[in-house]
Amino acid sequence: MDPVPALREPLRQPLKSVLGPATAKVMAEHLGLHTVGDLLHHYPRRYEERGQLTHLADLPMDEHVTVVAQVADARLHTFASAKAPRGKGQRLEVTITDGSGRLQLVFFGNGVHKPHKDLLPGTRAMFAGKVSVFNRKLQLAHPAYELLRGDAEETVESWAGALIPLYPATAKLESWKIGKAIQTVLPTAQEAVDPLPDSLREGRGLVSLPEALLKIHRPHTRADIEDARARLKWDEAFVLQVALARRRHADTQLPAVPRRPGADGLLAAFDDRLPFTLTEGQRKVSREIFDDLATDHPMHRLLQGEVGSGKTLVALRAMLAVVDAGGQAAMLAPTEVLAQQHHRSVTEMMGELAEGGLLGGAEHGTKVVLLTGSMGAAARRQALLDLATGEAGIVIGTHALIEDKVRFHDLGLVVVDEQHRFGVEQRDALRGKGKQPPHLLVMTATPIPRTVAMTVFGDLETSVLDQLPAGRSPIASHVVPAADKPHFLARAWERVREEVEAGHQAYVVCPRIGDEDESAKKKGGPPEEGADKRPPLAVLDVAEQLAKGPLSGLTVEVLHGRMQPDDKDAVMRRFAAGDTDVLVATTVIEVGVNVPNATAMVIMDADRFGVSQLHQLRGRVGRGSAPGLCLLVTEMPEASPARQRLAAVAATLDGFELSRIDLEQRREGDVLGQAQSGARSSLRVLAVIEDEEIIAEARAEAAALVAADPALTGLPGLRTALDALLDEEREQYLEKG
């Protein structure tokens, strides 16, 4: 397959054969580095200039620093301590200077012998450790150090050139040890096979891969670093985009049955029943979907829309179009509660059109069946039969739909709700259910910035619903600082009462269920040890306190994931019917619960939820004509990052804006790592938000390249890089099992 296997070998060498087993073991276990290539792609986090390194005068507190300095003096003290009562305790104090300031180093106990021999006055060395203050003086306790022997200038030079790279390190392996290991393997970089096509590299003025690796690890100037980073960003963006473009290309090669709705069939009958007109956004997205459905290769489309933007309606119209054209449509939900909910809302929207073949059903109607793991045997048998005969045009279920036993008469469309809980291999399993691959529509309510959509969901085309349907009300959000201003919390419960008195309902959301394990709770010690020690608030405790206290006299019920499906369903039904005033729940209500009469939500310990999650939860209120209210309760102090996050959520209802904030706060690696593949193949130098242009350009270049040469025949280097990326992905999928 690869005409030049010899080229691949040097970078594939295991580190243990090059560096020695102990170092290699630490690198594998703590940094995930296994081969020479992995190590070469472990880039410096930042660089210190030698001049900068040594300013002892302005060292930051509590930070891990590396300094180059000279030993001014060293003194060994003995002292008495509990361990060494007879004055046998030893403490070595070393003062170092760099001309601009002085710093005290301390070593204790058995750790004093080696530094006492090494750190003689006049010795120059690099020291690394955490800066602390003792007796109002700066000090480094037990720093690691590296002596600069011989001609001091020359040594520092050979050690790192003018810029000293500081690597992401671990307590087990200091930055300079990683630096030394990299110096050992750096000559191998000459043999790195370049994945970028020459034309692309020259057209964009990018340096070659060997040169980029050399410059990022051993730069002489800041410009070297810039050149190297610009080049390595392109590698990451381009290889990933080629992988995605090939997946898209392979998908377009698959055959699919074109599905065009009839002029006066089920879809037309459904549209006539709608009590409102579609928004412009819904019409535009529907057109994109219908155009895809009419082609003879499978649609692969991601539908993003804010909570309540009407995604379910758009998806249902696509499902009806397919049923019209003689096929079947399946909708997959991540949980049973959601599947039941979708089933309920779909049958309500369709009315008698959902009763095909039943008495009183409409002539164009079809059967809509529910299929979940907890159904009774008889109901399940009937549902499976309706699918196999084609009696049921629409099935809604959990991943129970993917099981071997499920047979379809003619599966034409699969709608997946909340993609991030649904991997590529499950998509493939479902695909195998059709005579030919079915069309695929993925829905997500998590707003995804454009670049993340291009990287994580890069094998899907994207449609966005960004208008809220007419009649949806604005949601007012406020942070309730329970610790600073307890009376705000009291007022929050009054507001809930006011909403209920006005005929509305409210949610109270907590991070934990409660009743986990009594012994674990007792182990937690007394709660007085400060707010950070107390466990997150629990549904069962909060519900009890509210019912007895601030909300006494109202009907309060609980909902959480550990309840039996039937009980959950009953609770939801009572809440939807308006029999319950306040629902105290975990995040099970995050997706898909639709109760237009619920106008208020109080989120307890809101700082324990992520930005997107808070935004999702908030979308559950204000779904009717009355304005919504969301109160974010927290005990975090005002200056904390958690409070800033909550303030951001309270300040905007724009999910895309929030998803950017969310991304900037977490590292992109997390976003891609979870969604795409392992943390190692996730991004090293590419920043999803800042590098939007590079990603967009790489996507265009990749698409053009794959269209012209799907097998990448002329690009062995690119194929090698792809194999490495995909091997890693495959490993990740296997690990996820």
Side-chain angles (χ1 to χ4, degrees), residues 647-663:
V649 175
T652 176
L653 289 171
D654 178 347
F656 285 91
E657 178 54 33
L658 287 174
S659 67
R660 286 187 85 96
I661 293 169
D662 196 17
L663 252 189

Side-chain angles (χ1 to χ4, degrees), residues 430-477:
L430 201 59
R431 228 180 239 168
K433 298 279 183 195
K435 297 196 174 84
Q436 289 195 332
H439 297 282
L440 175 73
L441 180 65
V442 173
M443 300 198 297
T444 174
T446 314
I448 304 165
R450 176 169 157 254
T451 43
V452 178
M454 286 192 293
T455 28
V456 179
F457 298 118
D459 56 336
L460 303 173
E461 300 299 330
T462 308
S463 297
V464 179
L465 276 176
D466 45 13
Q467 305 161 278
L468 286 189
R472 287 295 300 263
S473 311
I475 305 171
S477 309

Side-chain angles (χ1 to χ4, degrees), residues 48-61 65-70 96-103 124-125 127 131 138 140 164:
E48 290 284 14
E49 282 171 29
R50 211 169 49 244
Q52 283 179 333
L53 255 181
T54 54
H55 285 307
L56 291 179
D58 35 356
L59 283 178
M61 274 298 296
V65 297
T66 306
V67 294
V68 167
Q70 194 158 17
I96 58 171
T97 176
D98 63 350
S100 72
R102 294 169 89 79
L103 179 66
R124 278 171 53 87
F127 301 93
V131 184
L138 287 185
L140 289 182
I164 297 182

Side-chain angles (χ1 to χ4, degrees), residues 636-645:
M636 289 311 219
E638 193 158 5
S640 61
R643 273 286 280 281
Q644 288 160 2
R645 257 205 334 264

Side-chain angles (χ1 to χ4, degrees), residues 6 104 168 300 320-321 329 381 389 406 423 425 560 625 667:
Q104 185 101 40
H300 287 106
L320 296 173
R381 245 196 326 274
T389 60
V406 183
E425 65 283 23
H560 57 73
S625 49
R667 288 189 1 271

Side-chain angles (χ1 to χ4, degrees), residues 256-335:
V257 181
R259 311 277 178 175
R260 296 185 184 83
D264 51 0
L266 185 56
L267 180 62
F270 174 78
D271 283 349
D272 291 344
R273 287 181 46 105
L274 279 179
F276 49 81
T277 53
L278 299 176
T279 64
E280 181 44 47
Q282 286 173 322
R283 280 204 293 274
K284 178 176 136 288
V285 169
S286 288
R287 276 196 301 275
E288 293 172 347
I289 291 172
F290 288 159
D291 288 349
D292 282 2
L293 288 174
T295 61
D296 55 8
H297 55 81
M299 159 171 86
H300 287 106
R301 192 165 279 283
L302 174 69
L303 172 57
Q304 300 179 232
E306 286 288 353
V307 170
S309 56
K311 290 187 302 296
T312 313
L313 176 63
V314 168
L316 177 55
R317 290 184 72 239
M319 287 159 69
L320 296 173
V322 168
V323 175
D324 248 358
Q328 291 169 295
M331 184 182 225
L332 258 163
T335 63

